[in-house]
Structure formats: C-alpha cells, structure tokens
C-alpha cells in the first residue's frame, strides 16, 4: 500500500513504522465509516469520523511518547500530584484566593499522558460557607467570567451535558438544551430523565448546606400534569402520578427509540416541562421516544374522566417533585459517569456507563456509542468530595487537552485516577471537551479570569483562555450553556 510508503520506505513489513500503521488505520476506518449503508450509522458519519481522528491523534501521541528515550525519566501523573503534595491545601502549590477557596495548577511532562495542564479548585465547604448555584446559562449569559461576576460567585465551572452532536435533534428540543437533571434554586428546570451521577446541594434543618454526589433518576419522581382547555379557561384539571407506582413508567432513549403502548394504557411524549402536542397515545400505538425526553406510560384508569381527549384546544403542562432524600435539593446538575465511590451502599467501586443509561441512542452519543472504549485523550471536567473527619472539601479538576505542546488531555479513567490521587473518596464526571471551563476570582487583578487553555475556535472573546496568565487575549472559546457557580457565605 502506498500509505505505508514514507521517507523512502519500500513498504515491506520490516520497515513499517507506527506512524504509517496509524495512517493506514485512519484511512481504512474512515472509508468504512463513510461507506456504511446502515440508516442509523449513516446519520452519524461526521461524529464518528471526528471521534476516529481524536482516537488516532491520541494514540499517535501516546505511542510516540513511549518511543522517546527520555520518557522513562518522567513521572506519572499520580507521582506529579504527590510531588507537589496536592492532596492538601496546606501545600505551597495552592493559592487561597478567597477564604476557603484554593487554586493550584499541575503542569509538566508525564510518562503516562505526556504534557499535562490541569487546574484544581478545592473548596472547604465549612470555612467558605459555599452555596452552589446551577443554572441554564443560556437564559442569562454564556460567558462564564461575566456570569460569575453577575451572580456574585467567587469561582465557577462549566456544567453538564447538552444536545450538540446528535443528528436527530427535533423540535421542541434544540441544540444546546441541557441533558438530564437540572435544579436551580429549588426549581426543577429539567427532570432526571436518565439515572445518572449528579452533583447536588441540600439545605438542612439547621440551615447548613451539604454537598453530595449521587445517582438520581425518574424512579419515585412525582409528576403533576395540568390540563387546560382554551374553550373553557375556568376549568383546570390535574393528575398526579409517581414513577414506579401503579404501573407508571418512563421510557427513554437508553431503553428504546420507540415504544408500543400496552393495552389499556396511555402514553405521553415529554421533553423537559413540555408535553409534545397531540402526542397522547392509546393502546397499540407505536410512539417514538424523544431524544432528550421520555414517553410517560400509565394505565388509562388513572386518567381523569372529566378530561376531553379529543379537545383540539387541550394543553398539558407538567412539573416534577423529586423523592426523598432529594426533595430538599436546592441546586443540582447531572453529568456522569460516577468515577468511584467508597460508600458501599452505592455499589460503585469503578465506572459503569450502561448502569447510568449511557447506552442505546441516549445523549450524549459520544458516550453512549463510544467506539474507542475510553481511549481518547480529551479535555475533561471532574468533581470529587474529599473528607477528613468533619472537614469536607469539594475538588474540581479542569483538564486541558487537544494542545500538542502543553496538554494532550486524559481519558475518563485517567480523570478518575487523578481525582483519587487528590484524596477524593467519591468522584464523578461532568461535560468536558471544548465546553470545559474553570473561572476563579483574581484578587490581584480584581477580576474573574479563565484559567484553562483554549481548546476550540468557536468564539473569540478578549480575556478568556489565557491559561492562568491573567493577560487578556483574543483567543477563541465556546460559550458555556450550563454552569455551576460557587457563591461564598450567605450571598444570594
């Protein structure tokens, strides 16, 4: 093959190099992807080619590092953490930029991941009295430093997954819609469609706020439906059903792409707080399952008799109430997967993506249909909880990537190992890639600054992505669609 000929090589087996084999793999796999006749896979050609390029790029860099004669002298990433004693904020590697808020940067060449550039935010929850605020940033401001300033936050990170690369985004869903649970100041903005790891904060009876990482799904969620008719505005009916009781169930894309409504049952197609018009189906009807929503199936006997189903002017609304112990959650945002948990009741010693509904065509498909099996080095965002006695710290890591000179990125497993090496007993993944962002308050510059490196050319914005230098640049960045803000004290 001409693809194995390079720099005068004649292409025989003895002369084939790693670079040539990777080039051949890229070519052949790209041809396979582009020539598929599968109707589902053909919709995802661009996404699959992008994942392939990331994979080949990652492998070429890792294999190239292993071939370097100087690589054995480099530390592992865990050894680099140990060297700087970053398990504790007493390390000189941390800077306390506000009471209880500490920042550090890991930078260097590692034997396992090459060059790394990782920002760490450690928050002492008791000392800082930190209040976490999760928001749909599209409703306010998608520029994270500006958003942090507006909300009185001392630090902020990008949030959970959103619709982006999926080929079948249909109205009323839109590109950049949040995926999964989102609770903002006690209001459920998005239901926990998928049972996934969630960072959440509750307010206890004594007024103290505790932070947690738990898997939260639709089981036990109370769904309250409101039925109104424009023909009779004075009449309003409600129906309150609990998922998992009285044969009430939710079918999402991790289960199937369509569902047959059983005999004597109804089905509603729901996306967020919207019941898709004219989608109430009766027995023996096949319903498509919405991409980031679900089909709500329940017995017809539970439906209010006084409601006229053939009323063309009937509108249906829905609200959600989380079950105990999540009914007092103030703010929460889903991500996943859970990296690990030392608490036996969670049964999560390591990652298990299918158990968190990263399967089928559930978004993001880059996780549910990952053909590389977690071998891509990418920008990552992870959070963990480190406890020592009565002290509890929230640890956030923003892993830079796609930067040949300073940061290749990490795998999910690599991010999990990083949080473990930082002393966490429980940790989970948030949305990474080009959307990953961390912002902290700089008391010297008296401004909020992005400490991450730039990873994509999407949006130019002076002052972002300077990698901790504090100098304003016009380097590009992608807007943040959901965000987690950390507000000190009792500020609102």
């Amino acid at each position: 093959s001409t693809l194995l000929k390079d720099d005068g090589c004649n292409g025989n087996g003895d002369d084939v190099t790693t670079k040539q084999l990777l080039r051949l793999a890229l070519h052949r796999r790209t041809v396979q992807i582009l020539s598929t006749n599968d109707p589902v896979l053909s919709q995802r050609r661009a996404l699959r080619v992008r994942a392939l390029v990331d994979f080949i790029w990652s492998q070429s860099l890792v294999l190239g590092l292993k071939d370097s004669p100087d690589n054995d002298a480099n530390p592992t990433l865990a050894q680099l953490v140990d060297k700087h004693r970053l398990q504790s904020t007493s390390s000189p590697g941390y800077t306390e930029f506000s009471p209880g808020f500490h920042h550090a940067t890991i930078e260097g060449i590692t034997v396992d991941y090459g060059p790394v550039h990782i920002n760490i935010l450690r928050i002492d929850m008791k000392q800082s009295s930190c209040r976490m605020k999760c928001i749909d940033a599209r409703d306010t401001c998608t520029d994270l430093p500006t958003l942090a300033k507006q909300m009185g936050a001392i630090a902020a990170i990008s949030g959970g997954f959103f619709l982006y690369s999926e080929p079948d985004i249909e109205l009323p869903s839109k590109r950049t819609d949040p995926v999964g649970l989102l609770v903002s100041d006690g209001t459920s903005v998005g239901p926990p469609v998928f049972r996934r790891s969630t960072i959440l904060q509750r307010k206890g009876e004594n007024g103290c706020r505790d932070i947690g990482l738990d898997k939260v799904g639709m089981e036990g969620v109370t769904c309250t439906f409101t039925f109104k008719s424009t023909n009779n505005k004075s009449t309003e009916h409600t129906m309150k059903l609990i998922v998992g009781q009285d044969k009430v169930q939710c079918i999402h894309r991790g289960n199937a792409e369509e569902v047959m409504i059983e005999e004597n049952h109804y089905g509603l197609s729901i996306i967020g707080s919207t019941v898709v018009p004219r989608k109430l189906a009766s027995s023996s009807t096949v319903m498509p399952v919405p991409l980031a929503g679900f089909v709500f199936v329940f017995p017809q006997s539970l439906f209010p008799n006084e409601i006229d189903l053939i009323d063309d002017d009937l509108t249906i609304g829905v609200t959600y109430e989380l079950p105990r112990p999540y009914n007092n959650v103030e703010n929460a945002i889903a991500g996943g997967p859970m990296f690990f948990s030392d608490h036996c009741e969670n049964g999560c010693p390591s990652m298990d993506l299918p158990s968190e509904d990263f399967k089928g065509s559930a978004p993001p498909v880059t996780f549910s249909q990952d053909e590389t099996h977690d071998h891509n080095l990418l920008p990552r965002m992870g959070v963990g909880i480190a406890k020592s006695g009565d002290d509890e710290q929230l640890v956030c890591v923003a892993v830079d990537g796609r930067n040949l000179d300073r940061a290749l990125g990490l795998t999910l497993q690599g991010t999990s190992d990083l949080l473990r090496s930082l002393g966490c007993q429980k940790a989970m993944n948030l949305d990474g890639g080009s959307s990953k962002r961390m912002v902290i308050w700089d008391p010297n510059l008296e401004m909020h600054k992005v400490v991450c490196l730039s990873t994509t050319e999407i949006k130019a914005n002076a002052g972002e992505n300077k990698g901790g230098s504090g100098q304003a640049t016009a380097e590009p960045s992608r807007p943040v669609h959901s965000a987690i803000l950390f507000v000190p004290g009792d500020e609102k």
Side-chain angles (χ1 to χ4, degrees):
S1 171
T2 57
L3 290 169
L4 294 180
K5 295 180 180 179
D6 184 36
D7 299 329
C9 170
N10 59 21
N12 61 52
D14 295 332
D15 296 323
V16 173
T17 66
T18 299
K19 182 172 71 174
Q20 292 166 334
L21 285 174
L22 288 171
R23 181 191 300 162
L24 179 62
L26 175 62
H27 175 267
R28 289 188 173 177
R29 185 58 180 154
T30 301
V31 170
Q32 290 176 341
I33 291 172
L34 296 179
S35 60
T36 182
N37 292 321
D38 186 287
V40 176
L41 293 179
S42 63
Q43 288 185 311
R44 300 180 52 243
R45 287 191 180 103
L47 185 64
R48 297 176 72 205
V49 169
R50 188 185 74 172
L52 173 63
V53 171
D54 273 335
F55 174 75
I56 296 294
W57 185 80
S58 299
Q59 295 307 304
S60 65
L61 294 172
V62 171
L63 293 173
L65 286 168
K66 290 181 178 179
D67 292 339
S68 172
D70 300 326
N71 193 46
D72 290 340
N74 295 322
T76 64
L77 179 55
Q79 289 171 341
L80 200 57
V81 170
D82 289 338
K83 176 183 177 180
H84 297 288
R85 296 184 286 116
L86 295 174
Q87 298 88 350
S88 171
T89 53
S90 62
S91 165
Y94 283 100
T95 300
E96 188 173 24
F97 58 93
S98 184
F101 289 84
H102 304 262
H103 172 254
T105 302
I106 304 175
E107 189 166 15
I109 306 295
T110 66
V111 68
D112 41 359
Y113 295 107
V116 295
H117 187 278
I118 301 167
N119 284 278
I120 307 169
L121 172 65
R122 291 187 88 109
I123 305 174
D124 186 311
M125 299 305 293
K126 182 183 294 185
Q127 182 186 0
S128 66
S129 300
C130 176
R131 185 172 73 91
M132 184 178 76
K133 184 175 178 65
C134 301
I135 64 170
D136 183 344
R138 302 173 305 167
D139 297 335
T140 50
C141 176
T142 60
D143 177 68
L144 196 54
T146 303
L147 184 61
K149 180 180 179 180
Q150 291 176 349
M151 297 292 179
I154 207 72
I157 60 174
S158 49
F161 299 112
F162 55 90
L163 296 181
Y164 190 77
S165 302
E166 290 71 23
D168 52 344
I169 302 174
E170 299 178 352
L171 292 173
S173 292
K174 303 183 298 296
R175 204 176 187 210
T176 74
D177 278 356
V179 171
L181 180 63
L182 175 57
V183 179
S184 185
D185 290 341
T187 300
S188 293
V189 179
V193 176
F194 309 101
R195 184 178 179 271
R196 289 182 178 169
S197 298
T198 300
I199 178 172
L200 51 88
Q201 189 173 46
R202 291 174 278 233
K203 189 171 183 178
E205 294 179 358
N206 58 359
C208 295
R209 294 180 174 92
D210 65 351
I211 201 154
L213 307 179
D214 286 304
K215 296 179 183 178
V216 184
M218 287 296 293
E219 189 75 12
V221 171
T222 299
C223 302
T224 302
F225 296 88
T226 303
F227 301 87
K228 296 181 181 179
S229 175
T230 55
N231 290 329
N232 188 355
K233 296 182 180 180
S234 62
T235 303
E236 179 178 307
H237 301 284
T238 61
M239 177 178 69
K240 185 175 291 189
L241 301 175
I242 300 176
V243 179
Q245 296 185 12
D246 300 319
K247 297 184 179 180
V248 175
Q249 58 180 321
C250 293
I251 310 297
H252 55 65
R253 280 293 189 93
N255 306 128
E257 294 197 9
E258 59 182 27
V259 58
M260 171 74 77
I261 306 302
E262 299 177 7
E263 185 178 357
N264 298 321
H265 282 69
Y266 283 135
L268 289 168
S269 180
I270 302 175
I271 301 172
S273 60
T274 303
V275 179
V276 181
R278 313 308 302 162
K279 287 294 184 180
L280 193 147
S282 55
S283 304
S284 302
T285 301
V286 176
M287 292 188 70
V289 179
L291 180 61
F294 56 93
V295 173
F296 188 85
V297 181
F298 60 98
Q300 292 181 1
S301 59
L302 301 178
F303 196 77
N305 294 325
E306 58 269 26
I307 298 176
D308 183 4
L309 288 179
I310 62 174
D311 183 354
D312 291 334
D313 297 309
L314 184 69
T315 61
I316 311 173
V318 60
T319 58
Y320 308 93
E321 181 182 343
L322 298 178
R324 292 181 178 273
Y326 310 114
N327 57 315
N328 62 343
V329 165
E330 289 188 320
N331 284 274
I333 195 165
M338 185 75 75
F339 286 138
F340 56 84
S341 173
D342 291 347
H343 301 286
C344 297
E345 67 269 20
N346 290 283
C348 184
S350 60
M351 288 183 290
D352 184 358
L353 274 75
S355 73
E356 297 191 44
D357 296 324
F358 290 105
K359 57 185 179 179
S361 58
V365 292
T366 48
F367 278 58
S368 298
Q369 301 176 11
D370 177 20
E371 297 178 72
T372 74
H373 304 288
D374 191 32
H375 280 81
N376 277 359
L377 300 179
L378 294 169
R380 306 284 183 182
M381 178 65 76
V383 292
I385 294 176
K387 289 187 176 182
S388 179
D390 292 333
D391 294 331
E392 181 179 73
Q393 292 183 343
L394 177 66
V395 182
C396 309
V397 293
V399 179
D400 288 314
R402 293 185 177 136
N403 187 309
L404 183 61
D405 299 317
R406 299 183 64 185
L408 306 183
L410 296 181
T411 60
L412 286 173
Q413 186 60 56
T415 311
S416 173
D417 295 341
L418 169 63
L419 284 159
R420 175 69 83 179
S421 71
L422 288 168
C424 295
Q425 292 87 39
K426 199 171 189 180
M428 62 171 278
N429 181 62
L430 288 171
D431 189 26
S434 301
S435 305
K436 175 267 309 163
R437 199 88 77 255
M438 178 181 286
V439 165
I440 67 170
W441 169 255
D442 189 323
N444 296 319
L445 297 174
E446 295 186 343
M447 62 178 286
H448 291 86
K449 67 175 185 180
V450 176
V451 291
C452 307
L453 303 176
S454 179
T455 54
T456 184
E457 295 190 2
I458 299 292
K459 181 189 72 170
N461 179 36
E464 282 210 31
N465 296 322
K466 50 270 185 185
S469 68
Q471 300 300 313
T473 67
E475 292 188 23
S477 67
R478 174 178 284 172
V480 169
H481 303 297
S482 65
I484 304 174
L485 306 171
F486 301 107
V487 182
D490 293 323
E491 296 181 42
K492 299 296 181 183

